[in-house]
Amino acid sequence: MEHSKAMSPAEATPADQAQPAPLTRRPVLGTVQEDQYIHLVRLAWDLRGLGVAARLELPLTEEPYLMVQGMRRPVRVIAYRFGEHWIYQWGRGRNQRIGAFDQEAAQEIRKAAAR
């Protein structure tokens, strides 16, 4: 089995130097926005499995969010950390948020989009 040799800084091209470190070399999962992105992608895949279209948005000046296709209008879903928990929220009411790891998260958001 051949082992790959690490490139010295002198051998690295500008493109090599611009690349972020692989996830395996990062001390933590990522920034808060990267974590939000991961949660939203998981939700998008779960919604897709339920037959609901979703579009991930990565604006430059705002946090990432998911636009879920609704019956009347799209539903905007954000992911945020609350203490030790990750939450999805799609409105301002208490009944418009659910834990990101809740088994029913995609179902609840699909119901909200159907209204």
Side-chain angles (χ1 to χ4, degrees):
M1 179 189 254
E2 186 178 315
H3 294 282
S4 61
K5 185 176 120 184
M7 197 179 311
S8 75
E11 297 173 311
T13 67
D16 294 326
Q17 294 169 353
Q19 298 301 315
L23 287 177
T24 55
R25 290 198 214 150
R26 291 185 185 181
V28 294
L29 180 58
T31 66
V32 171
Q33 287 187 333
E34 288 172 326
D35 292 347
Q36 289 171 315
Y37 169 83
I38 290 166
H39 286 291
L40 293 170
V41 168
R42 282 184 33 256
L43 177 60
W45 276 107
D46 290 347
L47 288 165
R48 185 176 189 260
L50 296 174
V52 178
R55 182 180 73 242
L56 184 61
E57 297 286 338
L58 299 172
L60 294 175
T61 59
E62 297 177 55
E63 296 179 323
Y65 59 90
L66 194 66
M67 291 301 285
V68 179
Q69 187 61 48
M71 295 297 271
R72 294 187 184 131
R73 62 179 177 81
V75 174
R76 182 176 170 152
V77 180
I78 61 169
Y80 66 93
R81 190 171 182 164
F82 184 74
E84 295 296 313
H85 305 283
W86 278 94
I87 307 292
Y88 293 129
Q89 186 164 346
W90 58 93
R92 293 187 179 179
R94 289 183 154 253
N95 61 344
Q96 293 176 312
R97 60 182 166 222
I98 192 166
F101 294 106
D102 190 309
Q103 295 289 328
E104 301 297 316
Q107 287 282 358
E108 288 298 314
I109 293 167
R110 184 182 91 167
K111 287 180 201 174
R115 294 184 196 131

